[in-house]
Every structure is written in structure tokens, then in C-alpha cells.
Amino acid sequence: MKLISACLIGCECRYDQKSCRTHLGEQLLSQGKAIPVCPEQLGGLPTPRPPAEIVGGDGFDVLDGRAKIVDNQGNDVTDIFWLALIKH
Ligand code: SF4
């Protein structure tokens, strides 16, 4: 069993309240091989929400505390993404 981003199976949980449905995602779900989750929502972020991106590195740098995640309004949302990781 694998976890799959919920937006890839058609859940409208992206920041813009849209999905990005993929055939592979739907196939894995229909075969019972994947569980859809949206870590951003599980971390407490609303939908829709401001888009966010990593600043100062990549995902590994965020995990090591060398980079952060900032939304397009300048808010540091790194802790919210950490919360999503901890809940998993
Ligand atoms: S966090 Fe949610 S919206 Fe973002 S890629 Fe994952 S499932 Fe999609």
C-alpha cells in the first residue's frame, strides 16, 4: 500500500481548490493499492489557500532546517508543513 497525493486522484484540495487528476493515480486507487492524503490540509491549511514554495534550498534543506516554506503573501508556513509531516 502506498500513500498518494489526494489531488492526483481528483480531490480538489490544491491551493486553488482544483485537482490535478492523473490516470496513474486513479488506477492505483481503483486497484486498492493507494490511500489518498493531502498533507497540506492535514497540517491545518485551508482550501483554497495562498500558494507556497520552498525558499533557500530544497525539501531536504527544509527537513534539515536550512530552508523554509513561504506563501505568496510572505508568510512563513514551514511549521504548518512540519505539522503535516509529524501527523503522518
Ligand atoms: S499537499 Fe495536497 S494539494 Fe499539495 S500535492 Fe499533496 S495532495 Fe496535492
Side-chain angles (χ1 to χ4, degrees):
M1 188 64 69
K2 300 183 182 329
L3 295 179
I4 187 170
S5 294
C7 59
L8 297 180
I9 56 96
C11 180
E12 296 176 343
C13 55
R14 283 179 20 148
Y15 72 94
D16 55 2
Q17 205 165 3
K18 295 180 180 174
S19 71
C20 44
R21 185 183 302 244
T22 65
H23 176 69
L24 178 59
E26 291 178 326
Q27 190 176 28
L28 289 171
L29 186 66
S30 68
Q31 294 172 347
K33 295 180 178 176
I35 298 172
V37 295
C38 177
E40 292 183 42
Q41 286 188 336
L42 291 174
L45 289 166
T47 301
R49 57 189 171 274
E53 63 183 7
I54 296 173
V55 175
D58 58 21
F60 293 107
D61 294 320
V62 173
L63 292 173
D64 289 338
R66 294 189 302 265
K68 56 187 178 180
I69 304 171
V70 179
D71 70 21
N72 70 346
Q73 297 174 356
N75 300 307
D76 184 341
V77 292
T78 309
D79 287 347
I80 296 172
F81 280 75
W82 266 112
L83 194 56
L85 285 173
I86 292 169
K87 286 181 177 178
H88 290 86

